[in-house]
Amino acid sequence: MGGGTLGRLGPCPAGGARTPGSLSLGAGERSDAWVRVRPGGGVVTDGVKHSMNPFCEIALEEAVRLRERGLLQEIVVVSCGPQQCQETIRTALAMGADRGLHVEIPAPQYESLGPFQVAKILAALAKKEGVSLVLLGKQAIDDDCNQTGQMTAALLDWPQGTFASALTLEGEQLTVEREVDGGLESIRLRLPAVVTADLRLNEPRYATLPNIMKAKKKKIEVLKASDLGVDLSSRLAVQCVEEPPQRQAGVKVETVDDLVGKLKEGGLI
């Protein structure tokens, strides 16, 4: 499942006056259950408990911290997928989001939902909500695609800062410290922009019981992709899904000569 969070920002420019803006956070889902392949293809999801993608939890936490510093006026979480998405939205509301948007995707279409389709939805919502900052997790941990943030930036034609490990917002200027192969890189972006959160950006808080109870009363608006003018058709098709072959039991050997003999028997040397 894919999704996001939209929020009203209040960055303070040099003059000190608060200017309105918005923020969007991409949210996905993960399952901690053992993955089983469904006969005929696909993965068994019936009765499986899903939770928010951990990188999206980090992005949401950063949105809450921006609001706590007076830089964000409203946080709106978004999730794309079937009815179960609302459980994840409620969790995000308990963590500090103000309202939720559920873009309902029927099961047949959800099976082919990929980063490009989610990016089109987030881009459409960013325009609809007047968003000036899109903040997402860097990748989902089910498919590990690491594409939604970059595609969203391309569709919006906005600058992007990926793999963010630190974030500083000053007026219309956004400084992103990002993790690269050689160490850390600092870039400065002018809003509107897209940022994807890496592991070390922050440590998400736990939802408290009072906030969990308050989340039950917060609003979740249900939309369809067609309401946003988004076509969910995909050019990709999964040909098959198979479980990996079962590993054979290992053999213990007593001496180096036994080891060499076994390797020769297996044609490995």
Side-chain angles (χ1 to χ4, degrees):
M1 303 176 192
T5 305
L6 306 177
R8 298 295 172 190
L9 286 165
C12 297
R18 179 171 292 177
T19 58
S22 299
L23 176 144
S24 174
L25 159 95
E29 302 220 1
R30 73 166 184 253
S31 169
D32 295 325
W34 185 265
V35 176
R36 293 181 294 124
V37 174
R38 186 173 57 219
V43 176
V44 176
T45 58
D46 298 337
V48 175
K49 175 67 175 179
H50 288 82
S51 57
M52 194 186 308
N53 181 52
F55 291 109
C56 294
E57 289 179 333
I58 293 169
L60 174 57
E61 173 66 24
E62 194 66 20
V64 174
R65 294 186 184 191
L66 285 171
R67 187 182 59 188
E68 290 174 343
R69 295 199 295 268
L71 302 176
L72 189 65
Q73 296 175 347
E74 185 186 32
I75 301 172
V76 186
V77 292
V78 181
S79 191
C80 312
Q83 180 67 24
Q84 299 95 298
C85 284
Q86 296 198 14
E87 298 176 13
T88 304
I89 293 175
R90 291 292 177 194
T91 300
L93 293 173
M95 290 176 63
D98 297 297
R99 59 187 175 94
L101 294 176
H102 175 204
V103 182
E104 192 169 20
I105 311 294
Q109 288 181 302
Y110 169 63
E111 292 289 337
S112 61
L113 191 70
F116 183 48
Q117 287 75 29
V118 175
K120 289 197 292 184
I121 291 172
L122 291 179
L125 285 171
K127 294 176 182 178
K128 179 177 181 290
E129 295 282 336
V131 168
S132 59
L133 176 63
V134 179
L135 181 61
L136 311 97
K138 71 170 184 176
Q139 66 191 72
I141 63 166
D142 48 8
D143 56 23
D144 278 334
C145 280
N146 181 22
Q147 295 173 346
T148 304
Q150 293 89 327
M151 288 180 173
T152 302
L155 291 170
L156 291 169
D157 196 22
W158 289 0
Q160 60 182 288
T162 56
F163 314 117
S165 59
L167 189 65
T168 304
L169 180 61
E170 297 177 346
E172 296 299 311
Q173 295 289 334
L174 184 68
T175 302
V176 178
E177 187 175 272
R178 58 190 303 268
E179 299 186 4
V180 296
D181 290 341
L184 298 175
E185 177 185 60
S186 293
I187 61 174
R188 181 172 293 175
L189 311 175
R190 179 176 294 276
L191 298 180
V194 176
V195 175
T196 66
D198 210 335
L199 184 64
R200 279 162 285 279
L201 180 59
N202 59 56
E203 184 174 344
R205 69 194 68 191
Y206 290 101
T208 62
L209 181 58
N211 287 336
I212 292 174
M213 300 306 294
K214 291 178 183 177
K216 296 181 179 180
K217 299 180 181 179
K218 292 182 179 180
K219 180 181 178 182
I220 298 178
E221 181 182 356
V222 180
L223 302 169
K224 296 185 182 298
S226 57
D227 298 333
L228 302 170
V230 173
D231 179 13
L232 295 180
S233 59
S234 175
R235 298 182 181 181
L236 302 177
V238 177
Q239 297 299 312
C240 66
V241 178
E242 298 177 348
E243 293 186 11
Q246 191 171 11
R247 293 182 60 181
Q248 296 181 353
V251 177
K252 290 184 178 181
V253 295
E254 298 295 334
T255 66
V256 174
D257 291 338
D258 292 341
L259 174 59
V260 173
K262 288 291 183 184
L263 291 175
K264 288 182 177 179
E265 287 178 14
L268 300 175
I269 58 175

